[in-house]
């Protein structure tokens, strides 16, 4: 199976570059939480599962993980307007330090929705960590607390990111040359 046709995709971030970005992300989080702190990381499925797996192994605090899955309705290469919960977390977030973990933020709608929802459950603190941030695409007011790397407005695949459910297993990140 050849997922990557180099006429369609170009290498964007190598495995080594992603690891360095994850180191930076972990460093920021490790500066804010001590070894005695307990953090609940909430990964946004499906895309964030690889970031979550790598990130938690770089954190010094006492971490627990949960996953949440959203569905958005709209065009396949674009982020959609309507968001709903497909799979919820199964613990009470009250009085806990929560960090939402994303692989990429685009319009910010998904995270805005999740942020407001988790906030209403009264956690002790609520922060957002993302491997990548397509800041120029933001449509809502949302500022992640921890950003690994800011990226341009390009469609990216690999390292958990998909193109119609494919390519999530690629160990590095590729950019689609032209979307159509
Ligand atoms: P937002 O709600 O527009 O911020 O979209 C966030 C979600 O859209 C991300 O968590 C990804 O799952 C998906 N997404 C955004 N940009 C890309 C991309 O370049 N490639 C693959 N998925 C993306
Ligand atoms: Mg995602």
């Amino acid at each position: 199976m050849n997922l990557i046709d180099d006429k369609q995709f170009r290498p964007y971030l190598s495995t080594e570059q992603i690891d360095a970005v994850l180191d930076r992300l972990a460093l920021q989080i490790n500066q804010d939480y001590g070894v005695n702190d307990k953090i609940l990381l909430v990964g946004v499925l499906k895309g964030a599962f690889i970031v979550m797996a790598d990130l938690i192994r770089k954190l010094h605090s006492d971490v627990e993980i949960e996953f949440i899955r959203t569905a958005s309705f709209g065009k396949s290469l674009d982020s959609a307007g309507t968001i709903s919960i497909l799979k919820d977390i199964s613990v009470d977030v009250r009085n806990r330090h929560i960090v939402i973990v994303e692989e990429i933020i685009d319009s910010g709608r998904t995270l805005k929705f999740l942020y407001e929802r988790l906030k209403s459950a009264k956690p002790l603190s609520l922060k957002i960590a993302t491997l990548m941030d397509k800041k120029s695409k933001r449509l809502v007011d949302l500022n992640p607390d921890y950003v690994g790397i800011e990226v341009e407005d390009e469609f990216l695949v690999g390292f958990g990111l998909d193109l119609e459910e494919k390519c999530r297993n690629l160990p590095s990140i590729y950019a689609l040359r032209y979307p159509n």
Side-chain angles (χ1 to χ4, degrees):
M1 181 174 53
N2 183 17
L3 290 175
I4 290 298
D5 168 356
D6 59 13
K7 285 192 221 63
Q8 263 189 298
F9 293 96
R10 63 181 169 80
Y12 193 80
L13 288 174
S14 69
T15 306
E16 293 72 24
Q17 285 170 318
I18 299 168
D19 197 55
V21 171
L22 283 164
D23 280 341
R24 272 207 311 267
L25 190 61
L27 183 68
Q28 298 172 57
I29 300 174
N30 283 331
Q31 279 167 346
D32 282 0
Y33 302 89
V35 284
N36 296 319
D37 284 325
K38 295 184 194 328
I39 331 174
L40 176 67
L41 300 175
V42 178
V44 187
L45 291 174
K46 299 176 189 175
F49 79 111
I50 297 178
V51 171
M52 183 76 131
D54 279 6
L55 181 65
I56 59 171
R57 285 177 283 177
K58 296 177 189 286
L59 298 180
H60 303 152
S61 303
D62 182 347
V63 307
E64 289 184 27
I65 61 167
E66 282 286 329
F67 288 97
I68 197 162
R69 187 168 168 208
T70 58
S72 51
F73 305 96
K75 292 166 278 172
S76 62
L77 288 190
D78 222 328
S79 290
T82 317
I83 294 149
S84 64
I85 302 281
L86 284 185
K87 181 223 168 288
D88 211 344
I89 56 171
S90 45
V91 296
D92 192 354
V93 303
R94 232 173 320 167
N95 300 320
R96 303 188 69 174
H97 292 295
I98 312 295
V99 178
I100 307 174
V101 177
E102 257 289 20
E103 79 288 8
I104 194 163
I105 306 176
D106 189 283
S107 72
R109 284 186 181 127
T110 307
L111 273 190
K112 181 92 181 163
F113 173 82
L114 289 177
Y115 186 89
E116 301 298 338
R117 194 169 184 277
L118 285 168
K119 191 84 192 166
S120 68
K122 308 238 179 317
L124 208 52
S125 68
L126 181 60
K127 301 228 167 143
I128 294 172
T130 187
L131 176 72
M132 298 181 285
D133 188 7
K134 276 191 208 171
K135 214 172 169 184
S136 64
K137 291 279 298 281
R138 203 72 90 251
L139 293 175
V140 296
D141 179 26
L142 182 103
N143 293 303
D145 302 276
Y146 309 108
V147 175
I149 188 171
E150 216 178 283
V151 294
E152 293 118 68
D153 175 16
E154 291 190 84
F155 194 80
L156 305 175
V157 298
F159 207 80
L161 292 104
D162 73 306
L163 173 57
E164 291 166 355
E165 294 303 323
K166 301 282 192 300
C167 303
R168 293 192 197 275
N169 58 320
L170 298 170
S172 61
I173 295 174
Y174 294 81
L176 192 61
R177 283 192 192 275
Y178 300 103
N180 57 50

